[in-house]
Amino acid sequence: MIEVKNVSFSYNGEEAVKNVSFSMSNEFIAIMGPNGAGKSTLIKLIMGLLKPDSGEIKVFNMPPEKAKDIIGYMPQRETIAKHFPIRVKDIVLMGLNKKFYSRKDIEKAKEALEKVGLEKLWNERFDSLSQGQQQRVLFARALAREPKVIILDEPFNAVDLPSREKMIEILADERKQGKDILIVVHNINPILHEIDKVLLMNRKLIAYGEPREIINNENLKEAYGTDVQIIVCKEGYCHPLVGDTHA
Ligand SMILES: Nc1ncnc2c1ncn2[C@@H]1O[C@H](COP(=O)(O)OP(=O)(O)OP(=O)(O)O)[C@@H](O)[C@H]1O
Ligand SMILES: [Mg+2]
């Protein structure tokens, strides 16, 4: 359960998140918006990595800094040190947020890596992996502690199609188990049928609701500034043509 009430945040006087309010409970939500729309900033506020200038955030009725243990987080790839001599197992174990690891913790971490199909890479150096493999290891790290809330910032970047499908399958499964899932994506189409709602933002919140209600030309134009072509509408779902990769 996440509640965001009238939250604003500025970096050096420039407002990145403007008076955003939404709440979610047992849902799978996708955050969409152009580059610089404040998506990662909003996520960092929910994670308690940044403090709102105004407004309030509650995660399971706790302030974000008290909720860290119940959130599994996967940051946007750019923020990960790419040439740090660390092994895959250490990255996944990091997800458990402990100083010392029991045998059970190691089992949990191994299971998470197995979920994403990379158990063979347990002992490998993280920087020797392909970008897509690194993304999947970071996904395993987010799952390792069996969190109540899963927050992922552009998890599918550089991930190949079969691996993406696998990740979506895992998320759909977590969703069924009653987890809260919040995910930032540029291309919503691969997950359109799995998500409950879309949050469309460009610094301010533009629309929040079921995909079939809010994915329309008017809202997309407001968010992206130019006409976003809607490829096809089928069975009530409209698929927008929005960048597959980072611009
Ligand atoms: N650490 C920072 N210091 C100063 N400005 C920042 C910082 N991080 C982000 N910004 C600015 O805040 C705005 C929102 O950035 P943010 O990273 O939240 O956008 P985003 O929606 O995640 O974009 P992208 O799709 O490129 O990941 C941008 O204008 C960005 O330049
Ligand atoms: Mg971002």
Side-chain angles (χ1 to χ4, degrees), residues 48-76:
L49 299 170
L50 297 171
K51 279 216 176 319
D53 297 332
S54 57
E56 194 186 31
I57 299 177
K58 289 268 174 70
V59 180
F60 279 82
N61 282 321
M62 291 179 276
E65 59 274 16
K66 292 244 163 77
K68 288 205 167 87
D69 283 348
I70 60 168
I71 305 179
Y73 172 54
M74 175 171 169
Q76 196 170 338

Side-chain angles (χ1 to χ4, degrees), residues 39-41 76 153-154 184 246:
K39 305 180 298 294
S40 297
T41 304
Q76 196 170 338
D153 199 344
E154 301 196 23
V184 174
H246 232 250

Side-chain angles (χ1 to χ4, degrees), residues 29-48:
I29 310 287
I31 302 180
M32 253 183 104
N35 292 134
K39 305 180 298 294
S40 297
T41 304
L42 178 60
I43 274 185
K44 286 176 193 162
L45 288 160
I46 295 169
M47 289 292 305

